Coordinates of all heavy atoms in Angstrom, one line a residue:
G1 N 93.7 52.4 121.5 CA 93.6 53.7 122.2 C 92.4 53.6 123.2 O 92.6 54.2 124.3
L2 N 91.3 52.9 122.9 CA 90.2 52.9 123.8 C 90.5 52.1 125.1 O 90.0 52.3 126.2 CB 89.0 52.2 123.1 CG 88.3 53.1 122.1 CD1 87.2 52.3 121.4 CD2 87.7 54.3 122.8
T3 N 91.4 51.1 125.0 CA 91.8 50.2 126.1 C 92.8 50.9 127.0 O 93.1 50.3 128.1 CB 92.3 48.8 125.7 OG1 93.4 49.0 124.8 CG2 91.2 48.1 124.9
G4 N 93.4 52.0 126.6 CA 94.3 52.7 127.5 C 95.8 52.3 127.3 O 96.6 52.4 128.2
L5 N 96.2 51.8 126.1 CA 97.6 51.5 125.8 C 98.2 50.6 126.8 O 99.3 50.8 127.3 CB 98.4 52.8 125.7 CG 97.9 53.9 124.7 CD1 98.8 55.1 124.8 CD2 98.0 53.3 123.3
Q6 N 97.5 49.4 127.0 CA 98.0 48.4 127.9 C 99.1 47.6 127.1 O 98.9 47.3 125.9 CB 96.9 47.5 128.4 CG 95.8 48.3 129.2 CD 94.7 47.4 129.5 OE1 94.8 46.3 129.8 NE2 93.5 48.0 129.4
P7 N 100.2 47.1 127.8 CA 101.2 46.4 127.1 C 100.7 45.1 126.4 O 101.1 44.8 125.3 CB 102.2 46.0 128.3 CG 101.9 47.0 129.3 CD 100.5 47.4 129.2
S8 N 99.8 44.4 127.0 CA 99.3 43.1 126.4 C 98.5 43.4 125.2 O 98.6 42.7 124.2 CB 98.4 42.4 127.4 OG 97.3 43.2 127.9
V9 N 97.8 44.5 125.1 CA 97.0 44.9 123.9 C 98.0 45.4 122.9 O 97.8 45.1 121.6 CB 96.0 46.0 124.3 CG1 95.1 46.3 123.1 CG2 95.1 45.5 125.4
L10 N 99.0 46.2 123.2 CA 100.0 46.6 122.3 C 100.7 45.4 121.6 O 100.9 45.5 120.4 CB 101.0 47.5 122.9 CG 100.5 48.9 123.4 CD1 101.6 49.6 124.2 CD2 100.2 49.8 122.1
R11 N 101.0 44.4 122.4 CA 101.6 43.2 121.8 C 100.7 42.6 120.8 O 101.2 42.3 119.7 CB 102.0 42.2 123.0 CG 102.8 41.0 122.6 CD 102.0 39.9 122.1 NE 100.9 39.5 123.0 CZ 99.9 38.8 122.6 NH1 99.8 38.3 121.4 NH2 98.9 38.5 123.5
A12 N 99.5 42.4 121.1 CA 98.5 41.8 120.2 C 98.3 42.7 119.0 O 98.1 42.2 117.9 CB 97.2 41.5 120.9
G13 N 98.3 44.0 119.2 CA 98.1 44.9 118.1 C 99.2 44.9 117.1 O 99.0 44.9 115.9
I14 N 100.5 44.8 117.6 CA 101.6 44.7 116.7 C 101.5 43.4 115.9 O 101.8 43.3 114.6 CB 102.9 44.7 117.5 CG1 103.1 46.1 118.1 CG2 104.1 44.4 116.6 CD1 104.3 46.3 118.9
M15 N 101.1 42.3 116.5 CA 101.0 41.0 115.8 C 99.9 41.1 114.8 O 100.0 40.6 113.7 CB 100.7 39.9 116.8 CG 101.9 39.6 117.8 SD 101.6 38.1 118.8 CE 101.5 36.8 117.5
G16 N 98.8 41.7 115.1 CA 97.7 41.9 114.2 C 98.1 42.7 113.0 O 97.7 42.5 111.8
F17 N 98.9 43.8 113.3 CA 99.4 44.6 112.2 C 100.3 43.8 111.2 O 100.3 44.0 110.0 CB 100.2 45.8 112.7 CG 100.8 46.7 111.7 CD1 99.9 47.6 111.0 CD2 102.1 46.7 111.4 CE1 100.5 48.5 110.0 CE2 102.6 47.6 110.4 CZ 101.8 48.5 109.8
G18 N 101.1 42.9 111.8 CA 101.9 42.0 111.0 C 101.1 41.1 110.1 O 101.4 40.9 108.9
V19 N 99.9 40.6 110.6 CA 99.0 39.8 109.8 C 98.5 40.7 108.6 O 98.4 40.2 107.5 CB 97.9 39.3 110.6 CG1 96.8 38.6 109.7 CG2 98.4 38.3 111.7
L20 N 98.2 41.9 108.9 CA 97.6 42.8 107.8 C 98.7 43.1 106.8 O 98.4 43.2 105.6 CB 97.2 44.1 108.5 CG 95.9 44.0 109.3 CD1 95.6 45.3 110.0 CD2 94.7 43.6 108.5
V21 N 100.0 43.3 107.2 CA 101.1 43.5 106.3 C 101.2 42.3 105.4 O 101.4 42.4 104.2 CB 102.4 43.8 107.0 CG1 103.6 43.8 106.1 CG2 102.3 45.2 107.7
G22 N 101.2 41.1 106.0 CA 101.3 39.9 105.2 C 100.1 39.7 104.2 O 100.3 39.2 103.1
L23 N 98.9 40.2 104.6 CA 97.8 40.2 103.7 C 98.0 41.0 102.5 O 97.7 40.7 101.4 CB 96.5 40.6 104.5 CG 95.2 40.6 103.7 CD1 94.8 39.2 103.3 CD2 94.1 41.3 104.5
V24 N 98.6 42.3 102.7 CA 98.8 43.2 101.6 C 99.9 42.6 100.7 O 99.8 42.7 99.4 CB 99.2 44.6 102.1 CG1 99.7 45.5 101.0 CG2 98.0 45.2 102.8
L25 N 101.0 42.1 101.3 CA 102.1 41.6 100.5 C 101.9 40.2 100.0 O 102.7 39.7 99.3 CB 103.4 41.6 101.3 CG 103.8 43.0 101.9 CD1 105.1 42.8 102.7 CD2 104.1 43.9 100.7
Q26 N 100.7 39.6 100.4 CA 100.4 38.2 100.0 C 101.5 37.2 100.4 O 101.9 36.4 99.6 CB 100.1 38.2 98.5 CG 98.9 39.0 98.1 CD 98.6 38.9 96.6 OE1 99.3 38.3 95.8 NE2 97.4 39.3 96.2
R27 N 101.9 37.4 101.6 CA 102.9 36.5 102.2 C 102.5 36.0 103.5 O 101.8 36.7 104.3 CB 104.3 37.3 102.4 CG 104.9 37.7 101.1 CD 106.2 38.4 101.3 NE 107.2 37.6 102.0 CZ 108.4 38.0 102.4 NH1 108.8 39.2 102.1 NH2 109.2 37.1 103.0
Q28 N 102.8 34.7 103.8 CA 102.4 34.1 105.0 C 103.3 34.6 106.1 O 104.5 34.6 106.0 CB 102.5 32.6 104.9 CG 101.9 31.8 106.1 CD 101.9 30.3 105.9 OE1 102.4 29.8 104.9 NE2 101.4 29.6 106.9
V29 N 102.7 35.0 107.2 CA 103.4 35.5 108.4 C 103.7 34.3 109.4 O 102.7 33.5 109.7 CB 102.6 36.6 109.1 CG1 103.4 37.1 110.4 CG2 102.4 37.8 108.2
K30 N 104.9 34.2 109.8 CA 105.2 33.1 110.8 C 104.8 33.6 112.2 O 105.4 34.6 112.7 CB 106.7 32.8 110.7 CG 107.2 32.2 109.4 CD 108.6 31.8 109.5 CE 109.0 31.1 108.1 NZ 110.5 30.8 108.1
P31 N 103.8 32.9 112.8 CA 103.3 33.4 114.1 C 104.4 33.5 115.2 O 104.4 34.5 115.9 CB 102.2 32.4 114.5 CG 101.9 31.8 113.2 CD 103.1 31.8 112.3
L32 N 105.2 32.5 115.3 CA 106.2 32.6 116.4 C 107.2 33.7 116.2 O 107.5 34.4 117.2 CB 107.0 31.2 116.4 CG 107.9 31.0 117.6 CD1 107.0 31.0 118.9 CD2 108.6 29.6 117.5
G33 N 107.7 33.9 115.0 CA 108.6 35.0 114.7 C 107.9 36.4 115.0 O 108.5 37.3 115.5
C34 N 106.6 36.5 114.6 CA 105.8 37.7 114.8 C 105.7 38.0 116.3 O 105.8 39.1 116.8 CB 104.5 37.6 114.1 SG 103.6 39.1 114.1
L35 N 105.5 36.9 117.1 CA 105.3 37.1 118.6 C 106.6 37.6 119.2 O 106.6 38.6 119.9 CB 104.9 35.8 119.2 CG 104.9 35.7 120.7 CD1 103.9 36.7 121.3 CD2 104.7 34.3 121.3
F36 N 107.7 37.0 118.8 CA 109.0 37.4 119.4 C 109.4 38.8 118.9 O 109.9 39.6 119.7 CB 110.1 36.4 118.9 CG 110.4 35.3 119.9 CD1 109.5 34.3 120.0 CD2 111.5 35.3 120.7 CE1 109.7 33.2 120.9 CE2 111.7 34.3 121.6 CZ 110.8 33.3 121.7
L37 N 109.1 39.2 117.7 CA 109.3 40.5 117.2 C 108.5 41.6 118.0 O 109.0 42.6 118.5 CB 109.0 40.6 115.7 CG 109.2 42.0 115.1 CD1 110.7 42.5 115.2 CD2 108.8 42.0 113.7
A38 N 107.2 41.3 118.2 CA 106.3 42.2 118.9 C 106.8 42.4 120.3 O 106.8 43.5 120.9 CB 104.9 41.7 118.9
V39 N 107.1 41.3 121.0 CA 107.6 41.4 122.4 C 108.9 42.2 122.5 O 109.0 43.0 123.4 CB 107.7 39.9 123.0 CG1 108.4 40.0 124.4 CG2 106.4 39.3 123.1
N40 N 109.8 41.9 121.6 CA 111.1 42.6 121.7 C 110.9 44.1 121.4 O 111.6 44.9 122.0 CB 112.1 42.0 120.8 CG 112.8 40.8 121.4 OD1 113.8 40.9 122.0 ND2 112.2 39.6 121.3
V41 N 110.1 44.4 120.4 CA 109.9 45.8 120.1 C 109.3 46.6 121.3 O 109.8 47.7 121.7 CB 108.9 46.0 118.9 CG1 108.5 47.4 118.8 CG2 109.6 45.6 117.6
L42 N 108.4 46.0 122.0 CA 107.8 46.7 123.1 C 108.7 46.8 124.3 O 108.8 47.8 125.0 CB 106.5 45.9 123.6 CG 105.3 46.0 122.7 CD1 104.2 45.1 123.1 CD2 104.8 47.4 122.6
L43 N 109.6 45.7 124.5 CA 110.5 45.7 125.6 C 111.8 46.5 125.3 O 112.5 46.9 126.3 CB 110.9 44.3 126.0 CG 109.7 43.5 126.6 CD1 110.1 42.1 126.9 CD2 109.1 44.2 127.8

């Protein structure tokens, strides 16, 4: 919110949220799949 909802930050934010979900579920997140998912969701 402070950065002004820039696309590059939103992409990184979604990936960071994926890491946090993996932390709660105690599952390893695949970085490449997380990147593709974040990019496609935004686009």
Side-chain angles (χ1 to χ4, degrees):
L2 288 174
T3 58
L5 300 179
Q6 301 172 37
S8 57
V9 186
L10 288 171
R11 188 273 309 164
I14 293 176
M15 293 186 66
F17 181 75
V19 172
L20 293 174
V21 171
L23 181 66
V24 171
L25 300 179
Q26 297 183 348
R27 295 181 60 181
Q28 186 176 6
V29 178
K30 295 183 178 179
L32 192 60
C34 191
L35 173 64
F36 267 75
L37 178 62
V39 170
N40 276 268
V41 167
L42 290 176
L43 293 179

